[in-house]
Amino acid sequence: MIQLLNYINGSLTEPLSKQYINNIEPATGQAYSHCPDSDERDVQLAYEAAKNAFESWSKTPLEERMLMLMRIADGIEKRMDEFVAAESKDNGKPLKLARAVDIPRAVSNFRFYASAIQHFASESHQMPGVGVNYTLRQPIGVVGCISPWNLPLYLFSWKIAPALATGNCVVAKPSEITPYTAYLLSQVCIAVGLPKGVLNIVHGLGSKVGQAIVEHDGIKAISFTGGTETGKRIAATAAPMFKKLSLELGGKNPTLVFADCDFEETVKQVVTASFSNQGEICLCGSRIFVEKSIYEKFREAFVTRVKTLKVGDPNDADSNLGAIVSEQHKNKILSYIQLAKEEGGKILCGGEELGADQRSDRVKNGYFISPTVIDGLSYTCQTNQEEIFGPVVTLTPFESEEEVLMMANSVKYGLSATIWTNDLKRAHRVAEKIEAGIVWINSWLVRDLRTPFGGVKASGVGREGGWEAMRFFTEPKNVFVKT
Ligand code: TXE
């Protein structure tokens, strides 16, 4: 068993409780590591370490901070194979996906914000004949970063890097379901000499460690990515304490396929947008609306392509989908498939756990669901309104632009959307009217780290990415000078 440890005040430490949680490899269903079951006492130690480090870190020259973040990025890159294997083992995602996306992207996050801090500028407003206002952008102090299990290091670093770049000290909590790469990150931070207390990683349950971070009155800002219900609870605790809050929550993203799209390319891309990372990406499209005139043709081509996807051992080079992150989550997804049937949906493919005959011996007890396509459901039914967060999509025909917009916007979420058409006027028009924070036209998941990232409605509050994150992690202070 691998024993993971907290990273507090520059050292790897046991939780004060000396208790650990079994960490399961979802592909095998076997426990393979012990994750600290920390509590509010460990959070307090992490907070004190961060508070003590703040005075010096916030005054560290920008170039030095930049170099430190670059060294962290290099440190991850140097151990790429180890990070890739850990992420895949912990989450169940195909090894090749962790190698192509998760870990390289975590490296980029550190490099991007290392560079950003060198270019971040604040404003000044001159009042002719009166004086000048200049706005300071000061670090907040100790901030909390809480991240989920679907893109573990990628989303963890997406918060930590801008927080550190802007001069804050951090108390961070990765998901207890996928703690491994955060632990490796703490080893990298020690190896590259990150000053003690600047970053503290406390492992454990959301209800203990997460809650203690949110409730701590010395932690002045919370950046959270996870489920909408958890986000609601966090907001209820943090808002009366007047904390700064950034919440990246769930989605139920629409995919709008118009008859004039590039048909073959659209089918191919929409399959990817539906099932990457087993559908466990908050940006995956799970409600696919197809213009009526091509509905049947699209359905056939789409289902045919989905049936070619290989589900299996994440270590196999030809697996397109790996394991679902946990048994509990697998059961949740299966219960939604059952609900879809009860609501009158027709299962066009998948709809069940991967059969024993399709599994290798190593993964016979793992959590695998075949990619599932359903049609015949009303856009208002529960299956089409609630986030499933797994390899399950629905197909729904539409007749007009107005109708598809109405259906797309009918959910409580508003994270992302994709539009597939060759009519650019329409694409712009629809993009403007769709209720989402991120819209891709004829593409999916193309990310430019400078752009705002986040959602509207129940998908969250605030934006990450680019200057948005730099602004979130700094407090503006206006200073007026009479001339
Ligand atoms: O997320 P949680 P869960 C959605 C998806 C999924 C559902 C629940 O629909 O089925 O959320 O997933 C910590 N105070 N998404 O239960 O609980 C927790 O320990 C502070 C969408 O895994 O929200 C973890 O570190 N923190 C999503 C983090 O919050 C708390 C990605 C997220 O866990 C806490 C993941 C509390 N009271 C799930 N309770 C996306 N948008 O990408 C838990 N946590």
Side-chain angles (χ1 to χ4, degrees):
M1 281 282 186
I2 304 163
Q3 180 101 329
L4 309 186
L5 294 166
N6 289 333
Y7 171 51
I8 297 177
N9 205 22
S11 305
L12 297 176
T13 57
E14 282 211 79
L16 289 174
S17 67
K18 305 269 193 270
Q19 300 297 308
Y20 289 83
I21 308 161
N22 269 347
N23 184 26
I24 312 274
E25 177 180 3
T28 63
Q30 302 299 310
Y32 74 99
S33 84
H34 286 143
C35 168
D37 183 7
S38 314
D39 58 34
E40 74 284 353
R41 295 172 299 163
D42 304 283
V43 170
Q44 179 60 23
L45 288 180
Y47 166 73
E48 283 163 16
K51 190 169 183 296
N52 291 337
F54 179 68
E55 179 65 18
S56 156
W57 181 248
S58 59
K59 296 200 170 66
T60 301
L62 297 184
E63 194 176 344
E64 270 179 49
R65 263 191 246 156
M66 180 271 285
L67 284 172
M68 191 50 76
L69 293 186
M70 288 289 192
R71 274 185 221 129
I72 295 174
D74 294 346
I76 299 171
E77 208 168 44
K78 246 192 240 159
R79 295 174 63 179
M80 179 63 76
D81 289 348
E82 223 179 316
F83 272 91
V84 165
E87 203 69 299
S88 167
K89 195 176 179 79
D90 234 8
N91 170 274
K93 68 180 69 210
L95 206 59
K96 66 180 178 197
L97 184 68
R99 185 178 300 284
V101 179
D102 292 75
I103 308 304
R105 174 57 190 280
V107 170
S108 301
N109 288 343
F110 280 107
R111 293 207 175 120
F112 177 82
Y113 281 107
S115 151
I117 192 60
Q118 299 267 79
H119 304 277
F120 189 43
S122 58
E123 294 177 316
S124 73
H125 301 87
Q126 195 191 2
M127 300 170 76
V130 183
V132 65
N133 296 277
Y134 63 90
T135 308
L136 296 174
R137 279 271 165 190
Q138 297 175 303
I140 297 170
V142 180
V143 300
C145 298
I146 302 174
S147 61
W149 46 257
N150 57 334
L151 302 164
L153 192 66
Y154 174 147
L155 294 178
F156 200 52
S157 54
W158 187 230
K159 299 180 182 305
I160 288 171
L164 296 180
T166 43
N168 299 284
C169 291
V170 176
V171 178
K173 191 196 99 60
S175 170
E176 61 275 28
I177 301 171
T178 52
Y180 199 173
T181 46
Y183 171 65
L184 294 181
L185 174 67
S186 52
Q187 293 180 346
V188 166
C189 291
I190 293 170
V192 302
L194 183 69
K196 64 179 190 181
V198 168
L199 170 64
N200 303 274
I201 300 176
V202 187
H203 292 275
L205 300 174
S207 53
K208 285 196 210 170
V209 177
Q211 191 69 25
I213 293 173
V214 176
E215 282 175 358
H216 199 292
D217 58 9
I219 299 178
K220 300 293 184 198
I222 302 291
S223 175
F224 169 81
T225 300
T228 293
E229 282 311 308
T230 316
K232 233 190 242 179
R233 262 202 306 280
I234 290 176
T237 308
M241 299 174 80
F242 308 109
K243 294 192 183 200
K244 268 185 122 172
L245 265 183
S246 166
L247 302 173
E248 296 301 331
L249 310 175
K252 187 74 179 174
N253 308 312
T255 300
L256 281 57
V257 180
F258 288 92
D260 62 359
C261 67
D262 279 336
F263 188 81
E264 298 301 330
E265 182 62 13
T266 302
V267 170
K268 189 171 144 207
Q269 297 284 341
V270 173
V271 169
T272 306
S274 303
F275 298 110
S276 286
N277 206 47
Q278 302 74 244
E280 297 165 339
I281 301 181
C282 50
L283 304 164
C284 280
S286 51
R287 294 177 298 144
I288 304 168
F289 299 102
V290 185
E291 196 162 358
K292 207 165 188 177
S293 58
I294 59 159
Y295 184 75
E296 266 140 45
K297 181 179 166 202
F298 182 91
R299 180 174 60 190
E300 201 195 323
F302 185 76
V303 171
T304 304
R305 194 171 177 95
V306 173
K307 284 182 177 164
T308 67
L309 294 176
K310 184 169 178 298
V311 188
D313 191 333
N315 292 344
D316 291 349
D318 61 348
S319 291
N320 302 107
L321 282 81
I324 300 299
V325 74
S326 67
E327 184 167 27
Q328 191 191 10
H329 193 54
K330 180 199 76 179
N331 290 337
K332 175 184 158 185
I333 297 168
L334 291 174
S335 76
Y336 268 107
I337 295 173
Q338 180 55 31
L339 173 72
K341 289 182 197 161
E342 286 160 18
E343 289 183 318
K346 185 172 172 212
I347 310 289
L348 303 174
C349 64
E352 56 198 6
E353 279 190 71
L354 191 68
D357 56 325
Q358 293 170 67
R359 295 171 184 236
S360 63
D361 249 15
R362 192 183 95 84
V363 300
K364 62 179 190 306
N365 296 319
Y367 320 129
F368 295 87
I369 297 180
S370 304
T372 300
V373 184
I374 306 169
D375 85 344
L377 287 168
S378 135
Y379 74 95
T380 55
C381 72
Q382 228 178 313
T383 310
N384 266 329
Q385 292 286 315
E386 295 178 10
E387 186 184 39
I388 300 174
F389 215 60
V392 181
V393 298
T394 62
L395 296 177
T396 309
F398 69 87
E399 301 214 35
S400 67
E401 201 175 297
E402 291 66 37
E403 188 194 15
V404 73
L405 269 167
M406 182 272 293
M407 294 195 286
N409 290 339
S410 69
V411 294
K412 68 175 181 178
Y413 297 103
L415 189 52
S416 72
T418 61
I419 303 166
W420 305 87
T421 176
N422 271 317
D423 179 346
L424 267 186
K425 277 192 189 160
R426 167 161 50 210
H428 292 306
R429 198 166 54 231
V430 172
E432 218 177 288
K433 290 183 185 157
I434 215 146
E435 293 166 1
I438 304 158
V439 180
W440 282 287
I441 296 169
N442 298 325
S443 62
W444 177 69
L445 208 62
V446 176
R447 288 284 298 125
D448 178 329
L449 303 191
R450 295 169 298 179
T451 60
F453 179 87
V456 298
K457 307 200 294 192
S459 291
V461 175
R463 294 291 182 276
E464 299 186 287
W467 298 141
E468 299 282 344
M470 305 289 277
R471 290 196 193 102
F472 175 75
F473 284 114
T474 52
E475 211 43 274
K477 181 192 284 173
N478 194 66
V479 182
F480 171 74
V481 195
K482 191 167 182 286
T483 51

